[in-house]
Amino acid sequence: QVQLVESGGGLVQPGGSLRLSCAASENIFSINVMGWYRQAPGKQRELVAHITSGGSTNYADYVKGRFTISRDNTKNTVYLQMNSLKPEDTAVYYCNAEITRPTAGIPYTRVYWGRGTQVTVSS
């Protein structure tokens, strides 16, 4: 079974940095897209950034120039380097991945979610 495990969240002061990691289980065929979403209290979940298997990236406007998404295909891991953090970045950050894996020898693609990791930006 595919699992996504996030790490790196925590409490940081405004202007500080955090690095989130998300590792997918090994028994997969291909990770097509990996990304990060976030959800603040009372708000809908929104895309932060995602990265394709080929390395193409997409960022929400509010994180451009501050956040950097990357991936290590060997480790089935996606990273989110967050710099110049602001209080409004406070949210639960969720790892997301579209993964293709063999099912009875047939490729099966679906989206998986991590449990989320809390990021709190406060002085």
Side-chain angles (χ1 to χ4, degrees), residues 44-104:
Q44 294 185 340
R45 189 173 300 185
E46 60 185 1
L47 173 69
V48 177
H50 67 70
I51 183 169
T52 69
S53 60
S56 297
T57 59
N58 185 44
Y59 296 92
D61 288 339
Y62 52 82
V63 303
K64 289 181 178 178
R66 299 189 298 122
F67 293 6
T68 302
I69 189 170
S70 61
R71 63 188 291 170
D72 186 335
N73 292 332
T74 301
K75 299 180 179 180
N76 295 328
T77 301
V78 63
Y79 306 94
L80 185 67
Q81 178 66 47
M82 304 186 294
N83 299 323
S84 301
L85 283 163
K86 305 175 181 179
E88 51 263 41
D89 293 320
T90 296
V92 177
Y93 284 70
Y94 296 90
C95 180
N96 168 273
E98 181 183 288
I99 298 175
T100 298
R101 58 194 291 259
T103 302

Side-chain angles (χ1 to χ4, degrees), residues 3-7 21-25 34 36 75-78 95:
Q3 291 183 317
L4 303 179
V5 181
E6 301 113 327
S7 62
S21 300
C22 174
S25 56
M34 299 187 76
W36 293 92
K75 299 180 179 180
N76 295 328
T77 301
V78 63
C95 180

